[in-house]
Amino acid sequence: MRLALSGGGTGGHVYPALSVARALECGLPAGDKLELLYLGSGSPAETGIMAHAGIPMRKVPSAPIRGRMPWEIPTNAVKIGIGVTRARSILREFRPQAVLSTGGYASFPVALAARSCAIPLAVYLPDLYPGWAVRATARLAGRVAVTAAESLRRLPPRDGVVTGYPVRPEFWQADHAGGREKLGLGAEEKVLFVIGASQGAHSINRAIAAELSGLLELCEIVHVSGQADEQLLSEIRDGLAPNLRGRYHLFGYLHEDTAWAMAAADLAVCRSGASTLGELPAVSLPAILVPYRYAGGHQRANARYLERHSAAVVLEEADIEQLLPLVGELLHNERRLQRMREAAKGLARPDAARRIARLVLELAEGNSRE
């Protein structure tokens, strides 16, 4: 079986596609092989994740339309047209039985190309709030899956399936004690996990750096900073008092160990990209969410969803100077943390990847019979 994957260029779009592909691979009859090809924008996040996963990738040009200045729209439309032509050529060469799109404008040309090549298309919406690309591609899809029921009313009227967010298998394997041992963390210490987006978040990194000594008095910190700020934060760590330096665990990026780091933590500080809707619940991790304000409202909607379900607290970027007292307040309130853990756990959907994989397989089998 051959499956083409396409997403929006960030980890929140790429990882769900990978999770579904792995679930599909595990569900195939013994001896059957799954061939994968990822069609994307060529962003650093996509390139790094696909290289690590060993999946071949082809670049497809695209461009945003929503929120552009009027004079930018014709140029971007031409880029989309070029992307459709490129994607059509790649799909005809690869000949997949189905295409799985996880949204984002970078996946739009691939969806159009799949339609023109009569290749069945499945669409999964990771974010709570669908952007224009997902709303458009959903009209072309044979199957549509969403993370939460409230997303359905924002999509074109058609049958949609609520599956939850498909997280990577290691999130169901990671545990608190194992994560502490793997990362060399104190068994009885409070642990704060900090991460931005796939490439980090400069404002969060800056806030952590400004309050680092104070935070380290409260807890050990596992900080996935992104490569852009890693050197600066490393220099700040080197300047810490010796008794604090060993409590700060800095990483530019983590792959599989992200799940173990999150499982080891008592509290997270992070953006609220689509992945938070699945990964935080999978490891029952309470969070302070700092939505990225230039994400078209997607991150704020994701954050408010987790907050409404009592699994997270939202801190707007304009108020980020309140981070230290908020972290202190939550870490010292074990009863509240426990309620947040239980609320997060209640949102976990362990079968999400398998359910989406079944939808893709139904499309692929239908295409093969035809």
mmCIF file of all heavy atoms in Angstrom, residues 190-240:
data_model
loop_
_atom_site.group_PDB
_atom_site.id
_atom_site.type_symbol
_atom_site.label_atom_id
_atom_site.label_comp_id
_atom_site.label_asym_id
_atom_site.label_seq_id
_atom_site.Cartn_x
_atom_site.Cartn_y
_atom_site.Cartn_z
ATOM 1 N N LYS A 190 9.794 18.791 42.348
ATOM 2 C CA LYS A 190 8.826 19.310 41.396
ATOM 3 C C LYS A 190 9.564 19.592 40.086
ATOM 4 O O LYS A 190 10.706 20.078 40.100
ATOM 5 C CB LYS A 190 8.190 20.598 41.910
ATOM 6 C CG LYS A 190 7.278 20.405 43.111
ATOM 7 C CD LYS A 190 6.015 19.637 42.732
ATOM 8 C CE LYS A 190 5.038 19.577 43.892
ATOM 9 N NZ LYS A 190 3.843 18.770 43.573
ATOM 10 N N VAL A 191 8.914 19.279 38.966
ATOM 11 C CA VAL A 191 9.550 19.448 37.649
ATOM 12 C C VAL A 191 8.632 20.269 36.746
ATOM 13 O O VAL A 191 7.444 19.963 36.600
ATOM 14 C CB VAL A 191 9.867 18.092 36.990
ATOM 15 C CG1 VAL A 191 10.383 18.284 35.561
ATOM 16 C CG2 VAL A 191 10.890 17.329 37.822
ATOM 17 N N LEU A 192 9.211 21.300 36.131
ATOM 18 C CA LEU A 192 8.517 22.147 35.160
ATOM 19 C C LEU A 192 9.039 21.820 33.771
ATOM 20 O O LEU A 192 10.255 21.843 33.538
ATOM 21 C CB LEU A 192 8.758 23.621 35.480
ATOM 22 C CG LEU A 192 8.122 24.648 34.526
ATOM 23 C CD1 LEU A 192 6.611 24.644 34.659
ATOM 24 C CD2 LEU A 192 8.686 26.051 34.795
ATOM 25 N N PHE A 193 8.137 21.515 32.854
ATOM 26 C CA PHE A 193 8.505 21.254 31.465
ATOM 27 C C PHE A 193 8.149 22.476 30.633
ATOM 28 O O PHE A 193 7.008 22.958 30.681
ATOM 29 C CB PHE A 193 7.757 20.029 30.940
ATOM 30 C CG PHE A 193 8.000 19.739 29.486
ATOM 31 C CD1 PHE A 193 9.202 19.191 29.059
ATOM 32 C CD2 PHE A 193 7.034 20.011 28.528
ATOM 33 C CE1 PHE A 193 9.429 18.916 27.708
ATOM 34 C CE2 PHE A 193 7.246 19.741 27.189
ATOM 35 C CZ PHE A 193 8.447 19.191 26.780
ATOM 36 N N VAL A 194 9.115 22.990 29.867
ATOM 37 C CA VAL A 194 8.915 24.204 29.071
ATOM 38 C C VAL A 194 9.224 23.902 27.615
ATOM 39 O O VAL A 194 10.283 23.362 27.292
ATOM 40 C CB VAL A 194 9.820 25.356 29.554
ATOM 41 C CG1 VAL A 194 9.549 26.626 28.731
ATOM 42 C CG2 VAL A 194 9.609 25.625 31.044
ATOM 43 N N ILE A 195 8.299 24.265 26.731
ATOM 44 C CA ILE A 195 8.527 24.074 25.302
ATOM 45 C C ILE A 195 7.726 25.122 24.539
ATOM 46 O O ILE A 195 6.636 25.511 24.958
ATOM 47 C CB ILE A 195 8.130 22.646 24.851
ATOM 48 C CG1 ILE A 195 8.606 22.355 23.428
ATOM 49 C CG2 ILE A 195 6.639 22.423 25.006
ATOM 50 C CD1 ILE A 195 8.469 20.882 23.033
ATOM 51 N N GLY A 196 8.279 25.596 23.412
ATOM 52 C CA GLY A 196 7.535 26.499 22.548
ATOM 53 C C GLY A 196 6.875 25.698 21.452
ATOM 54 O O GLY A 196 6.259 24.659 21.688
ATOM 55 N N ALA A 197 7.010 26.136 20.230
ATOM 56 C CA ALA A 197 6.523 25.377 19.090
ATOM 57 C C ALA A 197 7.653 24.473 18.603
ATOM 58 O O ALA A 197 8.631 24.257 19.309
ATOM 59 C CB ALA A 197 6.068 26.337 17.994
ATOM 60 N N SER A 198 7.526 23.936 17.368
ATOM 61 C CA SER A 198 8.550 23.037 16.838
ATOM 62 C C SER A 198 9.928 23.691 16.833
ATOM 63 O O SER A 198 10.942 23.032 17.041
ATOM 64 C CB SER A 198 8.179 22.606 15.418
ATOM 65 O OG SER A 198 6.900 22.038 15.391
ATOM 66 N N GLN A 199 9.960 24.992 16.590
ATOM 67 C CA GLN A 199 11.225 25.716 16.519
ATOM 68 C C GLN A 199 11.467 26.583 17.753
ATOM 69 O O GLN A 199 12.330 27.453 17.754
ATOM 70 C CB GLN A 199 11.254 26.601 15.259
ATOM 71 C CG GLN A 199 11.070 25.833 13.962
ATOM 72 C CD GLN A 199 12.140 24.762 13.789
ATOM 73 O OE1 GLN A 199 13.326 25.043 13.862
ATOM 74 N NE2 GLN A 199 11.711 23.524 13.569
ATOM 75 N N GLY A 200 10.697 26.337 18.811
ATOM 76 C CA GLY A 200 10.848 27.140 20.017
ATOM 77 C C GLY A 200 9.933 28.355 19.997
ATOM 78 O O GLY A 200 9.216 28.601 19.032
ATOM 79 N N ALA A 201 9.941 29.093 21.099
ATOM 80 C CA ALA A 201 9.136 30.313 21.213
ATOM 81 C C ALA A 201 9.980 31.337 21.950
ATOM 82 O O ALA A 201 10.255 31.198 23.144
ATOM 83 C CB ALA A 201 7.846 30.037 21.953
ATOM 84 N N HIS A 202 10.406 32.378 21.229
ATOM 85 C CA HIS A 202 11.363 33.327 21.783
ATOM 86 C C HIS A 202 10.816 34.037 23.017
ATOM 87 O O HIS A 202 11.538 34.243 23.998
ATOM 88 C CB HIS A 202 11.762 34.351 20.715
ATOM 89 C CG HIS A 202 12.814 35.316 21.179
ATOM 90 N ND1 HIS A 202 14.087 34.911 21.520
ATOM 91 C CD2 HIS A 202 12.768 36.669 21.371
ATOM 92 C CE1 HIS A 202 14.783 35.981 21.906
ATOM 93 N NE2 HIS A 202 14.006 37.034 21.829
ATOM 94 N N SER A 203 9.548 34.423 23.001
ATOM 95 C CA SER A 203 9.008 35.162 24.142
ATOM 96 C C SER A 203 8.955 34.286 25.393
ATOM 97 O O SER A 203 9.233 34.758 26.505
ATOM 98 C CB SER A 203 7.610 35.704 23.808
ATOM 99 O OG SER A 203 6.723 34.640 23.535
ATOM 100 N N ILE A 204 8.622 33.009 25.238
ATOM 101 C CA ILE A 204 8.628 32.098 26.389
ATOM 102 C C ILE A 204 10.056 31.879 26.875
ATOM 103 O O ILE A 204 10.336 31.903 28.077
ATOM 104 C CB ILE A 204 7.951 30.765 26.031
ATOM 105 C CG1 ILE A 204 6.451 30.986 25.797
ATOM 106 C CG2 ILE A 204 8.168 29.733 27.134
ATOM 107 C CD1 ILE A 204 5.696 29.729 25.386
ATOM 108 N N ASN A 205 10.973 31.668 25.944
ATOM 109 C CA ASN A 205 12.378 31.496 26.323
ATOM 110 C C ASN A 205 12.899 32.708 27.083
ATOM 111 O O ASN A 205 13.629 32.584 28.081
ATOM 112 C CB ASN A 205 13.237 31.260 25.080
ATOM 113 C CG ASN A 205 12.963 29.923 24.423
ATOM 114 O OD1 ASN A 205 12.380 29.026 25.044
ATOM 115 N ND2 ASN A 205 13.374 29.772 23.178
ATOM 116 N N ARG A 206 12.538 33.898 26.600
ATOM 117 C CA ARG A 206 12.994 35.134 27.254
ATOM 118 C C ARG A 206 12.405 35.253 28.667
ATOM 119 O O ARG A 206 13.097 35.655 29.605
ATOM 120 C CB ARG A 206 12.590 36.334 26.405
ATOM 121 C CG ARG A 206 13.233 37.648 26.830
ATOM 122 C CD ARG A 206 12.974 38.747 25.814
ATOM 123 N NE ARG A 206 11.555 39.019 25.664
ATOM 124 C CZ ARG A 206 10.892 38.890 24.521
ATOM 125 N NH1 ARG A 206 11.519 38.504 23.427
ATOM 126 N NH2 ARG A 206 9.602 39.159 24.455
ATOM 127 N N ALA A 207 11.136 34.865 28.823
ATOM 128 C CA ALA A 207 10.501 34.935 30.142
ATOM 129 C C ALA A 207 11.143 33.952 31.111
ATOM 130 O O ALA A 207 11.358 34.270 32.294
ATOM 131 C CB ALA A 207 9.010 34.650 30.013
ATOM 132 N N ILE A 208 11.474 32.765 30.636
ATOM 133 C CA ILE A 208 12.142 31.773 31.483
ATOM 134 C C ILE A 208 13.532 32.270 31.879
ATOM 135 O O ILE A 208 13.942 32.174 33.043
ATOM 136 C CB ILE A 208 12.244 30.424 30.742
ATOM 137 C CG1 ILE A 208 10.848 29.816 30.534
ATOM 138 C CG2 ILE A 208 13.148 29.457 31.509
ATOM 139 C CD1 ILE A 208 10.113 29.459 31.800
ATOM 140 N N ALA A 209 14.253 32.834 30.915
ATOM 141 C CA ALA A 209 15.601 33.339 31.201
ATOM 142 C C ALA A 209 15.562 34.448 32.248
ATOM 143 O O ALA A 209 16.426 34.505 33.142
ATOM 144 C CB ALA A 209 16.251 33.850 29.911
ATOM 145 N N ALA A 210 14.564 35.329 32.169
ATOM 146 C CA ALA A 210 14.471 36.458 33.096
ATOM 147 C C ALA A 210 14.205 36.000 34.525
ATOM 148 O O ALA A 210 14.607 36.670 35.485
ATOM 149 C CB ALA A 210 13.376 37.418 32.638
ATOM 150 N N GLU A 211 13.529 34.859 34.676
ATOM 151 C CA GLU A 211 13.143 34.387 36.015
ATOM 152 C C GLU A 211 13.806 33.066 36.369
ATOM 153 O O GLU A 211 13.348 32.359 37.273
ATOM 154 C CB GLU A 211 11.618 34.219 36.073
ATOM 155 C CG GLU A 211 10.820 35.462 35.752
ATOM 156 C CD GLU A 211 10.875 36.497 36.869
ATOM 157 O OE1 GLU A 211 11.509 36.209 37.912
ATOM 158 O OE2 GLU A 211 10.296 37.585 36.700
ATOM 159 N N LEU A 212 14.903 32.742 35.682
ATOM 160 C CA LEU A 212 15.449 31.393 35.795
ATOM 161 C C LEU A 212 15.864 31.027 37.220
ATOM 162 O O LEU A 212 15.513 29.953 37.724
ATOM 163 C CB LEU A 212 16.631 31.230 34.836
ATOM 164 C CG LEU A 212 17.162 29.805 34.658
ATOM 165 C CD1 LEU A 212 16.053 28.854 34.251
ATOM 166 C CD2 LEU A 212 18.285 29.777 33.615
ATOM 167 N N SER A 213 16.592 31.902 37.876
ATOM 168 C CA SER A 213 17.048 31.587 39.242
ATOM 169 C C SER A 213 15.860 31.370 40.172
ATOM 170 O O SER A 213 15.843 30.423 40.974
ATOM 171 C CB SER A 213 17.943 32.708 39.771
ATOM 172 O OG SER A 213 19.142 32.775 39.025
ATOM 173 N N GLY A 214 14.867 32.242 40.087
ATOM 174 C CA GLY A 214 13.688 32.104 40.931
ATOM 175 C C GLY A 214 12.920 30.824 40.651
ATOM 176 O O GLY A 214 12.463 30.139 41.577
ATOM 177 N N LEU A 215 12.788 30.464 39.386
ATOM 178 C CA LEU A 215 12.094 29.229 39.027
ATOM 179 C C LEU A 215 12.848 28.008 39.532
ATOM 180 O O LEU A 215 12.235 27.040 40.011
ATOM 181 C CB LEU A 215 11.920 29.146 37.504
ATOM 182 C CG LEU A 215 10.884 30.087 36.887
ATOM 183 C CD1 LEU A 215 11.035 30.136 35.364
ATOM 184 C CD2 LEU A 215 9.461 29.634 37.254
ATOM 185 N N LEU A 216 14.177 28.049 39.438
ATOM 186 C CA LEU A 216 14.975 26.895 39.860
ATOM 187 C C LEU A 216 14.969 26.709 41.369
ATOM 188 O O LEU A 216 15.271 25.619 41.872
ATOM 189 C CB LEU A 216 16.407 27.022 39.336
ATOM 190 C CG LEU A 216 16.547 26.863 37.817
ATOM 191 C CD1 LEU A 216 17.943 27.252 37.356
ATOM 192 C CD2 LEU A 216 16.227 25.431 37.397
ATOM 193 N N GLU A 217 14.654 27.765 42.104
ATOM 194 C CA GLU A 217 14.457 27.605 43.549
ATOM 195 C C GLU A 217 13.193 26.805 43.833
ATOM 196 O O GLU A 217 13.085 26.129 44.860
ATOM 197 C CB GLU A 217 14.353 28.978 44.226
ATOM 198 C CG GLU A 217 15.609 29.835 44.139
ATOM 199 C CD GLU A 217 16.704 29.388 45.099
ATOM 200 O OE1 GLU A 217 16.437 28.475 45.905
ATOM 201 O OE2 GLU A 217 17.812 29.946 45.029
ATOM 202 N N LEU A 218 12.223 26.870 42.900
ATOM 203 C CA LEU A 218 10.955 26.174 43.078
ATOM 204 C C LEU A 218 10.988 24.739 42.565
ATOM 205 O O LEU A 218 10.322 23.861 43.121
ATOM 206 C CB LEU A 218 9.836 26.906 42.316
ATOM 207 C CG LEU A 218 9.462 28.314 42.745
ATOM 208 C CD1 LEU A 218 8.500 28.922 41.738
ATOM 209 C CD2 LEU A 218 8.822 28.273 44.130
ATOM 210 N N CYS A 219 11.739 24.497 41.483
ATOM 211 C CA CYS A 219 11.624 23.213 40.787
ATOM 212 C C CYS A 219 12.815 22.980 39.869
ATOM 213 O O CYS A 219 13.568 23.902 39.567
ATOM 214 C CB CYS A 219 10.344 23.201 39.948
ATOM 215 S SG CYS A 219 10.276 24.558 38.724
ATOM 216 N N GLU A 220 12.954 21.748 39.420
ATOM 217 C CA GLU A 220 13.848 21.461 38.300
ATOM 218 C C GLU A 220 13.106 21.828 37.014
ATOM 219 O O GLU A 220 11.880 21.769 36.953
ATOM 220 C CB GLU A 220 14.245 19.989 38.271
ATOM 221 C CG GLU A 220 15.174 19.578 39.403
ATOM 222 C CD GLU A 220 15.823 18.224 39.171
ATOM 223 O OE1 GLU A 220 16.498 18.073 38.131
ATOM 224 O OE2 GLU A 220 15.647 17.338 40.023
ATOM 225 N N ILE A 221 13.877 22.196 35.978
ATOM 226 C CA ILE A 221 13.271 22.616 34.713
ATOM 227 C C ILE A 221 13.843 21.779 33.573
ATOM 228 O O ILE A 221 15.068 21.643 33.442
ATOM 229 C CB ILE A 221 13.536 24.111 34.435
ATOM 230 C CG1 ILE A 221 12.907 24.985 35.520
ATOM 231 C CG2 ILE A 221 12.994 24.501 33.057
ATOM 232 C CD1 ILE A 221 13.223 26.459 35.370
ATOM 233 N N VAL A 222 12.953 21.234 32.772
ATOM 234 C CA VAL A 222 13.328 20.632 31.488
ATOM 235 C C VAL A 222 12.846 21.591 30.414
ATOM 236 O O VAL A 222 11.639 21.801 30.254
ATOM 237 C CB VAL A 222 12.687 19.240 31.297
ATOM 238 C CG1 VAL A 222 13.065 18.672 29.925
ATOM 239 C CG2 VAL A 222 13.121 18.295 32.409
ATOM 240 N N HIS A 223 13.783 22.192 29.690
ATOM 241 C CA HIS A 223 13.462 23.279 28.763
ATOM 242 C C HIS A 223 13.863 22.884 27.346
ATOM 243 O O HIS A 223 15.056 22.724 27.051
ATOM 244 C CB HIS A 223 14.211 24.546 29.193
ATOM 245 C CG HIS A 223 13.804 25.774 28.426
ATOM 246 N ND1 HIS A 223 14.275 27.028 28.725
ATOM 247 C CD2 HIS A 223 12.966 25.953 27.367
ATOM 248 C CE1 HIS A 223 13.758 27.909 27.904
ATOM 249 N NE2 HIS A 223 12.962 27.269 27.057
ATOM 250 N N VAL A 224 12.876 22.704 26.464
ATOM 251 C CA VAL A 224 13.129 22.466 25.040
ATOM 252 C C VAL A 224 12.982 23.810 24.348
ATOM 253 O O VAL A 224 11.878 24.287 24.099
ATOM 254 C CB VAL A 224 12.139 21.424 24.470
ATOM 255 C CG1 VAL A 224 12.479 21.125 23.005
ATOM 256 C CG2 VAL A 224 12.176 20.148 25.293
ATOM 257 N N SER A 225 14.118 24.431 24.045
ATOM 258 C CA SER A 225 14.150 25.845 23.676
ATOM 259 C C SER A 225 14.026 26.122 22.192
ATOM 260 O O SER A 225 13.718 27.243 21.794
ATOM 261 C CB SER A 225 15.466 26.467 24.162
ATOM 262 O OG SER A 225 16.568 25.870 23.474
ATOM 263 N N GLY A 226 14.276 25.117 21.340
ATOM 264 C CA GLY A 226 14.488 25.419 19.925
ATOM 265 C C GLY A 226 15.944 25.815 19.734
ATOM 266 O O GLY A 226 16.604 26.304 20.661
ATOM 267 N N GLN A 227 16.452 25.618 18.535
ATOM 268 C CA GLN A 227 17.880 25.832 18.313
ATOM 269 C C GLN A 227 18.279 27.302 18.306
ATOM 270 O O GLN A 227 19.414 27.650 18.649
ATOM 271 C CB GLN A 227 18.297 25.157 17.005
ATOM 272 C CG GLN A 227 18.154 23.640 17.072
ATOM 273 C CD GLN A 227 18.555 22.941 15.794
ATOM 274 O OE1 GLN A 227 18.762 23.579 14.768
ATOM 275 N NE2 GLN A 227 18.647 21.623 15.850
ATOM 276 N N ALA A 228 17.352 28.199 17.961
ATOM 277 C CA ALA A 228 17.712 29.620 17.836
ATOM 278 C C ALA A 228 18.174 30.216 19.165
ATOM 279 O O ALA A 228 19.086 31.046 19.186
ATOM 280 C CB ALA A 228 16.521 30.411 17.286
ATOM 281 N N ASP A 229 17.565 29.816 20.265
ATOM 282 C CA ASP A 229 17.901 30.382 21.573
ATOM 283 C C ASP A 229 18.747 29.451 22.426
ATOM 284 O O ASP A 229 19.074 29.796 23.574
ATOM 285 C CB ASP A 229 16.618 30.731 22.347
ATOM 286 C CG ASP A 229 15.890 31.926 21.764
ATOM 287 O OD1 ASP A 229 16.555 32.783 21.156
ATOM 288 O OD2 ASP A 229 14.652 31.999 21.913
ATOM 289 N N GLU A 230 19.102 28.301 21.913
ATOM 290 C CA GLU A 230 19.803 27.312 22.734
ATOM 291 C C GLU A 230 21.156 27.826 23.229
ATOM 292 O O GLU A 230 21.508 27.655 24.407
ATOM 293 C CB GLU A 230 19.994 26.016 21.941
ATOM 294 C CG GLU A 230 20.615 24.906 22.772
ATOM 295 C CD GLU A 230 20.780 23.620 21.987
ATOM 296 O OE1 GLU A 230 20.610 23.645 20.743
ATOM 297 O OE2 GLU A 230 21.096 22.591 22.611
ATOM 298 N N GLN A 231 21.916 28.478 22.370
ATOM 299 C CA GLN A 231 23.238 28.950 22.766
ATOM 300 C C GLN A 231 23.143 30.012 23.861
ATOM 301 O O GLN A 231 23.881 29.965 24.857
ATOM 302 C CB GLN A 231 23.985 29.516 21.550
ATOM 303 C CG GLN A 231 25.398 30.010 21.854
ATOM 304 C CD GLN A 231 26.300 28.921 22.403
ATOM 305 O OE1 GLN A 231 26.235 27.768 21.945
ATOM 306 N NE2 GLN A 231 27.129 29.250 23.379
ATOM 307 N N LEU A 232 22.231 30.972 23.690
ATOM 308 C CA LEU A 232 22.056 32.023 24.690
ATOM 309 C C LEU A 232 21.663 31.433 26.040
ATOM 310 O O LEU A 232 22.228 31.795 27.088
ATOM 311 C CB LEU A 232 20.987 33.011 24.222
ATOM 312 C CG LEU A 232 20.554 34.075 25.239
ATOM 313 C CD1 LEU A 232 21.723 34.972 25.602
ATOM 314 C CD2 LEU A 232 19.386 34.892 24.701
ATOM 315 N N LEU A 233 20.712 30.516 26.039
ATOM 316 C CA LEU A 233 20.258 29.912 27.286
ATOM 317 C C LEU A 233 21.348 29.047 27.911
ATOM 318 O O LEU A 233 21.459 28.959 29.142
ATOM 319 C CB LEU A 233 18.994 29.085 27.039
ATOM 320 C CG LEU A 233 17.747 29.911 26.729
ATOM 321 C CD1 LEU A 233 16.647 29.043 26.144
ATOM 322 C CD2 LEU A 233 17.250 30.621 27.972
ATOM 323 N N SER A 234 22.166 28.428 27.066
ATOM 324 C CA SER A 234 23.290 27.642 27.577
ATOM 325 C C SER A 234 24.287 28.531 28.317
ATOM 326 O O SER A 234 24.820 28.161 29.373
ATOM 327 C CB SER A 234 23.971 26.912 26.416
ATOM 328 O OG SER A 234 25.083 26.172 26.877
ATOM 329 N N GLU A 235 24.524 29.723 27.778
ATOM 330 C CA GLU A 235 25.439 30.662 28.436
ATOM 331 C C GLU A 235 24.853 31.148 29.764
ATOM 332 O O GLU A 235 25.585 31.305 30.756
ATOM 333 C CB GLU A 235 25.718 31.839 27.502
ATOM 334 C CG GLU A 235 26.532 31.464 26.269
ATOM 335 C CD GLU A 235 26.608 32.583 25.241
ATOM 336 O OE1 GLU A 235 26.036 33.672 25.511
ATOM 337 O OE2 GLU A 235 27.211 32.365 24.169
ATOM 338 N N ILE A 236 23.533 31.379 29.781
ATOM 339 C CA ILE A 236 22.884 31.787 31.039
ATOM 340 C C ILE A 236 22.983 30.667 32.067
ATOM 341 O O ILE A 236 23.253 30.915 33.251
ATOM 342 C CB ILE A 236 21.409 32.168 30.768
ATOM 343 C CG1 ILE A 236 21.341 33.444 29.913
ATOM 344 C CG2 ILE A 236 20.655 32.365 32.086
ATOM 345 C CD1 ILE A 236 19.949 33.789 29.450
ATOM 346 N N ARG A 237 22.786 29.435 31.627
ATOM 347 C CA ARG A 237 22.925 28.291 32.543
ATOM 348 C C ARG A 237 24.331 28.221 33.131
ATOM 349 O O ARG A 237 24.500 27.981 34.331
ATOM 350 C CB ARG A 237 22.612 26.992 31.805
ATOM 351 C CG ARG A 237 22.757 25.730 32.671
ATOM 352 C CD ARG A 237 22.629 24.474 31.842
ATOM 353 N NE ARG A 237 23.616 24.439 30.774
ATOM 354 C CZ ARG A 237 23.573 23.602 29.743
ATOM 355 N NH1 ARG A 237 22.578 22.726 29.651
ATOM 356 N NH2 ARG A 237 24.494 23.639 28.815
ATOM 357 N N ASP A 238 25.329 28.449 32.302
ATOM 358 C CA ASP A 238 26.715 28.381 32.784
ATOM 359 C C ASP A 238 27.010 29.434 33.844
ATOM 360 O O ASP A 238 27.930 29.260 34.657
ATOM 361 C CB ASP A 238 27.687 28.535 31.609
ATOM 362 C CG ASP A 238 27.621 27.355 30.649
ATOM 363 O OD1 ASP A 238 27.098 26.288 31.050
ATOM 364 O OD2 ASP A 238 28.078 27.504 29.495
ATOM 365 N N GLY A 239 26.242 30.518 33.838
ATOM 366 C CA GLY A 239 26.448 31.581 34.813
ATOM 367 C C GLY A 239 25.659 31.410 36.100
ATOM 368 O O GLY A 239 25.761 32.242 37.018
ATOM 369 N N LEU A 240 24.868 30.343 36.200
ATOM 370 C CA LEU A 240 24.084 30.106 37.403
ATOM 371 C C LEU A 240 24.958 29.640 38.558
ATOM 372 O O LEU A 240 26.056 29.088 38.350
ATOM 373 C CB LEU A 240 23.019 29.039 37.129
ATOM 374 C CG LEU A 240 21.869 29.403 36.196
ATOM 375 C CD1 LEU A 240 21.069 28.148 35.840
ATOM 376 C CD2 LEU A 240 20.955 30.450 36.837
#
